[in-house]
Amino acid sequence: MSLTAPPVPYFFHRLRLAYSGLHPERVHSLVKASDPVEAVRMIETGRVKVSPAAREAVGVPAERRMEELASSGVTVALLGTDSYPPWLAAISDPPDLLFVRGALPTLPGVAVVGSRRATRYGINLAKAVGAAVGRRGAVVVSGLARGIDGAVHQGVVEAGGRGLAVLGCGLDRWYPVSHRRLGEALLDNGGGVVTEYPPGTVPEPWRFPVRNRIITGLSRVVLVVEAAAGGGALISARLGLEQGREVLAIPGDIDRATSRGCNELIRDGAMPVLGTADLLDLLEQEGIISQLGAGHRGFGPGDAEGGLEEAIGEAGATLEVLAERMGWPLTRLLVSVGELESEGRITRESGVIRLKKEHGRNG
Amino acid sequence: MSTRVYSAAMTGVTPRPVSVEVHLGKTNSKFGLVGLPDTAVREARYRVRAAMASSGYEMPRSEVTVNLAPADLPKAGSAFDLPIALGVLIADGKVSIRHPGVVAVGELALDGRVRSCRGVLAATLVAVREGIPCIVPREMAAEAALVPAVDLYAVGGLAEAVSALEGRMAPSSSRTPEAPTLPVPDMADVRGQEFARRGLEIAAAGRHHLLMSGPPGMGKTMLAKRLPGILPRFTGEEEMEVACVWAAANRRRPVRVRPFRAPHHTASVAGLLGGGSGIPTPGDLSLAHHGVLFLDELGEFPAHLIDALRQPLEEGLVTITRRGVSVTFPCRALVVAATNPCPCGWSNDTVRQCRCSPASVERYRRRLSGPLLDRFDVRVFLGRMETGEMTGSPGEPSEAVRKRVSRAREIQARRGGLNGDLSSAALDALAWSGKARRVLGGNIDRGNLTGRGYDRVRRVARTLADLGESERVESVHVLEALSYRTGV
């Protein structure tokens, strides 16, 4: 919807409430107790205790907020209107407002999530999944976080697919900052970036689990690529189940902490995915992707952000593989590898470079 | 009696003039031939007699004695037919010679035609040195044309050779305008394998011996075959040296292209280093002089063969002694070796499982160490890519790489030699940046580098600096050089 024509009652007040910075659940209960107008008044009069900054933020007139949003290219989708995705509206606690940059999808997508502290195994899988699904035209939803999320988006971008990133902060910033270019690439490819938080909201740890319900809510299928026990990705899986989404997981080594979450999900009934073909089959059954248009393309160069050591990974890597993963010019890579070696951080044997401190698993 | 007809014979790679002396005696119709002729030369008498008759010349009715001088130099082959016939005709007064002397080479057919034969290059080289014209079989004109500045008569028959002798025929130009160049496979065909490509370029630039390892099918052979195409173009002198070696081996080689020799691991020492019965001939090592010697499946070469290569490669010369005859051939070849990382080839591969036992891998690698292996300055591992590099865009063409290589070699020439030959002392004397020295020192302290490895890295670093046209060796060069010493 466009900001020039606010359609439903209380839009202005809902918008002002969003700027309060309160937990969405808290806002929701306030609104539920009376209505948005009353909720704003309660904050303004101090009957609801909030920080002075929050009260001040709520006090800013909605017209000014809308001007700000319009000038920064952000649109707002309001729950209950046509522009709001109905499958998101159907979850138990949908956000009242969605701040949107780029496009909102017209169909439910595929959530692909996982640990921020991912292994190279997980990163590769995430990229491959993002590329495979993106290439088939489905919307790939993730959180633009470090690790798996970022790799998923990267895969989508490289395959020329459409991705949707759900942020845990305002649209006036990127978190992590290093994923700024990735986020912009998503937008350039016709994807979108959304959040329930108004511009100016800084990333705080508690906001991320909350936004996970939007990631799953915007999707019909939730795939957990790699997750340790008790990670945020498992929260997404649980939310997905509660929202009636199909939850899938990619298995990993049973003795590795980084695979524990996924393996437990599978034990508890999540469908194991043993490859992109598996996943695409399921997506076809779910009607998320059509069976046509399965064109295949090679992958592009790797993520230039990740560090070289991360690219070497636990299993070690050859120079060819590193060149691909880093996407660097060869001489730059060789000099960097030489530096790591001079610092005694890697060993080389038979062309395979391994991190020294890790007890490398041999292939 | 003054001899004016010459031919040539090779001693080692040196072409030597052979003068054809003819004496006509009193007794009747005998034809003697002396001067260490082999069977083919001895039989020249019959061919000469028949060819002269067929061409309308009468054999002298007196005793003919032909001496091929110097008499102690062994002569072989059929190339002496034509000079002997011409020498006899001159001695008999049937033909006058307009030149101060002439070098002739060619086999005579019984009907008087001149056939192609070996030794044409040697003859032209002698002709240049003596400053006299050269008569060669027409079919061999291209090979003779390798040698600049010689008056060349390419003849089809004995009669034509006589008219050349008498000055009734104009010499063909000394050099054919465009000698045929064989197409060399191009680097553009190689997709991916950037690291190995870089290794190839460094090897070519500094003439560092190159060791490629990696699983089968990664393009090791393909890359090696493209190495001649990125080496600088022949200088005239180099081309001549190569031509002489090949002439000594009685081999014709494609002109204008740097040689590429790939001896099999079942080759004999004689085949590799040179030798053979009779006059020693050069082996593959020398045939690869100024070119590339490719040792595929290095791990399969027997140890004695590998050991035998070491000294010649260090000296750039190989000396063969046979029955008291000692011959020295040059062998400044760039050695490229390829090997699998283990007997089955798949150790360390990301997709296929290695089927070798750890002990057999250990044994295999131990065979690949030792004194010769120390000479491989540049070592690259060709690994599998994660995704399909086969679909990638074509690589950089050879000509572009060759330009950089040639430039780097010019810079080295100004310093007085190729980096692949630098000794420890010479390396010490080079200009190193402080940081480069610190990086080297740090790696020694850490045990990453030992004596020989230290020199190898320094040599390669110098070449990297030359490729980057840097006066001094900087730390980045050293850091990159560390990548080219990975073992098998």
Side-chain angles (χ1 to χ4, degrees):
Chain A
M1 69 174 272
S2 128
L3 281 175
T4 49
V8 278
Y10 310 137
F11 169 75
F12 280 14
H13 291 88
R14 286 178 197 272
L15 185 61
R16 285 169 65 183
L17 282 175
Y19 279 90
S20 69
L22 292 175
H23 194 293
E25 244 174 67
R26 179 98 187 278
V27 173
H28 193 72
S29 62
L30 283 177
V31 169
K32 218 171 157 190
S34 48
D35 59 55
V37 180
E38 185 56 28
V40 168
R41 190 172 306 138
M42 288 199 300
I43 291 174
E44 282 184 320
T45 56
R47 262 189 294 156
V48 171
K49 287 220 179 340
V50 295
S51 67
R55 191 185 305 165
E56 197 181 317
V58 170
V60 173
E63 290 87 346
R64 224 181 83 197
R65 293 297 189 196
M66 278 164 38
E67 278 165 25
E68 284 169 15
L69 291 170
S71 66
S72 57
V74 175
T75 57
V76 182
L78 177 62
L79 179 64
T81 64
D82 289 348
S83 60
Y84 197 94
W87 53 94
L88 178 61
I91 69 173
S92 63
D93 48 354
D96 286 344
L97 300 164
L98 275 184
F99 296 87
V100 183
R101 209 189 273 282
L104 264 181
T106 53
L107 285 170
V110 182
V112 186
V113 297
S115 291
R116 275 168 295 155
R117 298 177 53 128
T119 63
R120 184 40 68 178
Y121 166 78
I123 295 283
N124 285 342
L125 287 174
K127 260 194 207 173
V129 165
V133 178
R135 198 178 294 132
R136 294 292 292 271
V139 176
V140 181
V141 189
S142 195
L144 202 68
R146 290 199 177 87
I148 300 295
D149 283 17
V152 170
H153 288 307
Q154 185 77 38
V156 172
V157 166
E158 283 170 12
R162 282 181 308 148
L164 188 65
V166 183
L167 303 189
C169 58
L171 292 182
D172 57 334
R173 70 197 69 214
W174 296 100
Y175 184 82
V177 176
S178 57
H179 280 179
R180 173 209 187 104
R181 249 193 302 163
L182 181 55
E184 283 167 355
L186 272 179
L187 291 173
D188 290 344
N189 272 15
V193 183
V194 305
T195 177
E196 62 180 314
Y197 304 119
T201 310
V202 295
E204 289 169 83
W206 62 266
R207 293 193 192 273
F208 291 92
V210 178
R211 69 81 207 256
N212 285 358
R213 78 186 196 287
I214 305 176
I215 294 179
T216 54
L218 284 166
S219 311
R220 184 174 294 163
V221 171
V222 179
L223 171 64
V224 185
V225 174
E226 187 180 52
L234 292 191
I235 297 178
S236 297
R238 182 176 49 75
L239 290 167
L241 278 177
E242 286 170 11
Q243 295 167 0
R245 309 310 193 217
E246 187 77 38
V247 176
L248 319 172
I250 299 180
D253 295 357
I254 58 169
D255 59 349
R256 266 212 286 178
T258 49
S259 302
R260 184 113 197 197
C262 278
N263 290 341
E264 283 179 1
L265 279 175
I266 291 166
R267 184 192 60 198
D268 296 344
M271 178 182 156
V273 169
L274 304 184
T276 49
D278 255 19
L279 177 65
L280 295 177
D281 277 353
L282 183 108
L283 296 183
E284 276 173 15
Q285 282 165 28
E286 293 279 322
I288 292 174
I289 55 175
S290 71
Q291 294 175 13
L292 301 170
H296 184 81
R297 248 177 51 183
F299 301 107
D303 182 0
E305 300 289 335
L308 182 56
E309 280 175 282
E310 191 194 323
I312 293 167
E314 280 183 60
T318 61
L319 281 166
E320 284 80 8
V321 167
L322 287 181
E324 243 176 317
R325 285 180 182 167
M326 302 304 293
W328 286 351
L330 180 71
T331 39
R332 175 177 169 199
L333 176 68
L334 293 180
V335 169
S336 301
V337 170
E339 271 167 353
L340 285 184
E341 186 173 20
S342 300
E343 291 161 15
R345 281 149 72 184
I346 56 162
T347 59
R348 309 194 210 212
E349 188 216 341
S350 284
V352 179
I353 295 156
R354 291 197 171 85
L355 296 175
K356 228 177 199 172
K357 49 194 161 208
E358 309 259 317
H359 358 271
R361 294 180 320 117
N362 250 329
Chain B
M1 181 199 70
S2 67
T3 311
R4 320 242 323 246
V5 182
Y6 297 87
S7 193
M10 299 292 287
T11 53
V13 290
T14 318
R16 298 265 294 273
V18 172
S19 57
V20 179
E21 300 170 356
V22 180
H23 174 79
L24 300 182
K26 296 280 180 249
T27 42
N28 229 1
S29 298
K30 272 180 79 178
F31 197 141
L33 185 54
V34 296
L36 282 192
D38 75 347
T39 312
V41 180
R42 209 169 292 128
E43 287 169 355
R45 291 180 290 180
Y46 303 103
R47 289 191 296 271
V48 166
R49 198 188 292 277
M52 278 173 66
S54 301
S55 308
Y57 301 107
E58 213 179 317
M59 197 70 189
R61 295 201 163 276
S62 47
E63 181 195 10
V64 179
T65 303
V66 175
N67 179 32
L68 301 176
D72 62 345
L73 178 69
K75 290 102 193 162
S78 54
F80 294 93
D81 291 3
L82 181 61
I84 290 172
L86 294 176
V88 169
L89 287 172
I90 292 169
D92 201 23
K94 300 261 174 51
V95 172
S96 62
I97 173 166
R98 286 277 306 272
H99 309 281
V102 71
V103 177
V105 64
E107 176 181 321
L108 287 176
L110 299 186
D111 62 1
R113 279 181 300 119
V114 175
R115 285 200 174 118
S116 62
C117 61
R118 288 158 174 177
V120 167
L121 192 76
T124 28
L125 287 169
V126 166
V128 169
R129 209 161 51 206
E130 305 290 325
I132 53 180
C134 187
I135 303 177
V136 299
R138 183 163 293 141
E139 293 156 44
M140 303 292 286
E143 187 178 334
L146 265 180
V147 184
V150 64
D151 274 353
L152 200 65
Y153 296 94
V155 300
L158 179 58
E160 218 177 321
V162 167
S163 62
L165 214 57
E166 294 186 322
R168 288 183 279 116
M169 179 179 159
S172 65
S173 76
S174 63
R175 208 185 233 281
T176 46
E178 209 37 63
T181 304
L182 272 203
V184 179
D186 197 282
M187 292 286 284
D189 309 337
V190 183
R191 291 162 201 269
Q193 297 297 9
E194 289 302 320
F195 177 51
R197 292 176 67 106
R198 174 85 170 160
L200 222 59
E201 180 173 337
I202 296 165
R207 205 167 64 75
H208 301 284
H209 301 315
L210 170 69
L211 177 65
M212 297 188 283
S213 66
M218 294 296 144
K220 298 191 289 280
T221 305
M222 188 178 178
L223 279 163
K225 285 190 175 149
R226 281 157 180 74
L227 192 46
I230 64 168
L231 288 170
R233 293 194 189 288
F234 266 143
T235 64
E237 199 177 323
E238 281 174 345
E239 189 170 15
M240 200 56 58
E241 279 178 34
V242 172
C244 288
V245 176
W246 282 65
N250 285 327
R251 299 280 276 270
R252 297 177 68 173
R253 58 171 289 278
V255 288
R256 300 287 128 81
V257 178
R258 285 190 184 261
F260 177 86
R261 303 296 299 172
H264 192 251
H265 55 77
T266 55
S268 64
V269 174
L272 196 58
L273 299 187
S277 58
I279 306 165
T281 51
D284 275 319
L285 176 60
S286 291
L287 292 176
H289 182 51
H290 289 315
V292 175
L293 181 73
F294 178 45
L295 305 176
D296 202 359
E297 304 287 359
L298 185 66
E300 304 291 333
F301 277 79
H304 72 273
L305 221 49
I306 299 217
D307 285 345
L309 279 174
R310 187 176 53 85
Q311 206 190 351
L313 280 175
E314 266 167 30
E315 292 173 358
L317 293 170
V318 54
T319 301
I320 316 282
T321 305
R322 284 284 182 286
R323 291 192 315 205
V325 186
S326 174
V327 178
T328 300
F329 299 116
C331 59
R332 295 218 161 271
L334 171 48
V335 180
V336 182
T339 178
N340 292 337
C342 66
C344 85
W346 296 101
S347 119
N348 274 322
D349 190 60
T350 46
V351 175
R352 279 186 58 172
Q353 278 287 329
C354 173
R355 288 181 282 104
C356 308
S357 69
S360 70
V361 174
E362 179 64 25
R363 244 192 333 272
Y364 191 83
R365 296 204 177 147
R366 230 187 352 248
R367 271 168 81 181
L368 292 175
S369 59
L372 177 69
L373 268 289
D374 279 332
R375 300 299 305 167
F376 288 97
D377 285 353
V378 181
R379 299 157 183 215
V380 294
F381 187 87
L382 283 81
R384 195 186 282 276
M385 306 258 185
E386 275 186 327
T387 54
E389 80 280 9
M390 298 305 175
T391 56
S393 48
E396 192 182 15
S398 293
E399 201 46 52
V401 184
R402 194 211 295 264
K403 280 213 180 80
R404 290 196 296 271
V405 168
S406 305
R407 180 87 192 102
R409 286 220 174 176
E410 281 166 27
I411 296 172
Q412 292 168 66
R414 261 181 265 142
R415 259 199 321 270
L418 290 169
N419 295 337
D421 299 329
L422 289 173
S423 66
S424 281
L427 286 164
D428 290 339
L430 291 174
W432 301 85
S433 79
K435 200 166 165 217
R437 281 184 200 279
R438 278 197 295 282
V439 171
L440 283 166
N443 275 286
I444 290 175
D445 294 344
R446 232 172 250 292
N448 286 347
L449 288 178
T450 51
R452 290 200 181 93
Y454 175 57
D455 284 349
R456 285 200 299 269
V457 164
R458 290 197 295 169
R459 280 193 289 265
V460 171
R462 182 60 255 182
T463 298
L464 287 169
D466 289 336
L467 280 169
E469 304 194 15
S470 164
E471 196 75 30
R472 223 168 39 154
V473 186
E474 305 289 341
S475 63
V476 286
H477 304 129
V478 174
L479 287 169
E480 185 182 341
L482 288 171
S483 281
Y484 302 102
R485 67 191 166 79
T486 328
V488 170

